Amino acid sequence: MTKYLVRASYNGSGFKGMISKPSDRGEAIKGMTSALGITTECIYFSPSTGEAIMIIDSDVEKNARLMMVVMSSDTFTGGSIIDLIDTDSMLSAMQDSGSLLGTYKSVAD
């Protein structure tokens, strides 16, 4: 599986629910992601941006399911799932790309 950075922005209803019925939202999130077969490495909340932020191990299909469940809850205004690679993988991509530099010929050429 691949690591992803997930960001979900709470809406007014989400904040109202957290205030009226305080609960551990991290446990709720972990329960949902686990049910989807997603491993949650860590969860953070950003009071300044009104977001839940997570690092997960997942795949594209599971991410699609996650976004459908999250966005259908009427708790969030939007979200994003960003793929992540480690520095070794990025170095490998740089090296492989360097060997291919100039091999693509544009139709405009």
Side-chain angles (χ1 to χ4, degrees), residues 61-73:
E61 291 176 4
K62 291 175 184 174
N63 292 347
R65 292 178 186 101
L66 175 63
M67 286 302 284
M68 285 185 230
V69 170
V70 168
M71 295 311 295
S72 68
S73 72

Side-chain angles (χ1 to χ4, degrees), residues 6-97:
V6 180
R7 297 174 67 176
S9 300
Y10 284 97
N11 63 21
S13 296
F15 279 108
K16 188 180 286 186
M18 287 189 285
I19 292 168
S20 64
K21 295 181 183 173
S23 64
D24 184 347
R25 303 317 305 151
E27 287 305 313
I29 291 168
K30 286 179 186 176
M32 177 189 53
T33 55
S34 178
L36 292 167
I38 296 170
T39 302
T40 304
E41 280 193 17
C42 59
I43 302 170
Y44 296 96
F45 294 93
S46 173
S48 62
T49 65
E51 294 177 299
I53 300 169
M54 305 180 292
I55 302 290
I56 61 172
D57 280 317
S58 187
D59 62 42
V60 174
E61 291 176 4
K62 291 175 184 174
N63 292 347
R65 292 178 186 101
L66 175 63
M67 286 302 284
M68 285 185 230
V69 170
V70 168
M71 295 311 295
S72 68
S73 72
D74 290 328
T75 304
F76 299 94
T77 59
S80 62
I81 300 179
I82 303 166
D83 54 320
L84 303 172
I85 61 174
D86 60 29
T87 56
D88 289 338
S89 297
M90 189 62 187
L91 176 58
S92 179
M94 288 180 222
Q95 292 165 336
D96 292 346
S97 296

